[in-house]
Structures are given as C-alpha cells and as structure tokens.
Amino acid sequence: MITLKRKDYDRIVEYAKAQLPAEACGLIAGTVDGNGNKSVEKVYLLTNIDNSNEHFSMDPKEQLQAVKDMRANGIVPLGNWHSHPETPSRPSEEDKRLAYDSTASYMILSLMDKENPVLNSFHIEGTQSSTEGLTIV
C-alpha cells in the first residue's frame, strides 16, 4: 500500500500536462512503516532529458539534488513516477526492462483522457508487474 497526498497528486498531474507532448518524470520519497506501507512525503518533478513522448531519462544532476534533499529531510527514496501521454497507466515493456529496483514503487500517470488522468502504482520485478494499492488522501 502506498499513500499520496492530494496536493502532491495535483502537482504531478499539473506538471505532466505542462510537459506534453513529452513524458514527464520524477521521484517520490517518504517513509515506510513496519508493515511495508509507504507514505509519500515529497514528490520531485524532474526534467525528462530525452524530451520524448515514448520514454524518459531523468536529469542526473536533478536526481542527485533530490537524493541530497531526501537525506537532509530524513526521508527515503520510495520510487519514481512518469507519465504516459498517449497510453494507459500500465508499465510498458521498456518500463519493465528499466525497473532495476524490485523494492521501488513505479507510479504511472496516463493522460490519454486529459480531463480524467489515471494514476496507478506498480511493483515490477523482472518482466512481471502487479498493481500496488494506491490511496490519495
């Protein structure tokens, strides 16, 4: 289970729409309780240096700055998020191939219907993916 604040969800959606037609991307950080439940405390909006509508690469300098900020604020990396401008909220084959950390949450925002964006979170291990419970509060 992963919990995301409504204001952070809104920031992700707003940023992703502003980056169209390219995919948007970023990191999520927060806390993990004793039962493995994740709470997102901070969302990082990073630059997709590929500027593509089919894939993304996060700016390495921005990633490093985000990790430094996490350490300074006593939170841990929980995973990442990115948008799919034209496809559903599910991991593509490339998303699965690039998912190097099976403990991370991979959030995907679909903007196929720009008026009704869909955000899901996934656990990806190898070529397999499963939906994580996501609660927006």
Side-chain angles (χ1 to χ4, degrees):
M1 173 65 75
I2 188 163
T3 304
L4 178 69
K5 294 179 183 93
R6 170 66 59 182
K7 68 178 178 76
D8 288 328
Y9 167 80
D10 291 342
R11 285 183 65 227
I12 289 172
V13 170
E14 181 180 319
Y15 183 69
K17 285 181 176 181
Q19 301 307 303
L20 289 171
E23 287 190 4
C25 57
L27 298 173
I28 54 173
T31 59
V32 182
D33 71 15
N35 296 318
N37 296 312
K38 299 174 181 178
S39 178
V40 178
E41 301 298 325
K42 192 159 185 181
V43 169
Y44 298 87
L45 310 175
L46 305 183
T47 302
N48 175 359
I49 59 174
D50 293 338
N51 196 29
S52 168
N53 67 335
E54 295 180 343
H55 55 90
F56 70 96
S57 295
M58 294 181 201
D59 182 303
K61 291 177 191 168
E62 292 175 0
Q63 285 183 62
L64 180 58
Q65 190 57 46
V67 171
K68 286 179 179 179
D69 184 76
M70 290 174 206
R71 289 182 183 147
N73 287 291
I75 54 179
V76 298
L78 298 177
N80 65 54
W81 69 270
H82 73 280
S83 64
H84 283 181
E86 302 160 5
T87 57
S89 175
R90 64 175 179 245
S92 66
E93 292 306 311
E94 181 174 330
D95 292 336
K96 292 177 191 176
R97 185 175 54 79
L98 296 174
Y100 63 91
D101 183 354
S102 64
T103 66
S105 292
Y106 295 91
M107 290 186 175
I108 300 174
L109 176 72
S110 173
L111 294 172
M112 282 176 56
D113 178 352
K114 289 165 192 51
E115 299 307 312
N116 298 292
V118 175
L119 179 68
N120 289 302
S121 187
F122 298 90
H123 170 82
I124 303 174
E125 198 161 344
T127 60
Q128 303 299 310
S129 67
S130 57
T131 305
E132 288 184 307
L134 170 64
T135 303
I136 299 173
V137 295

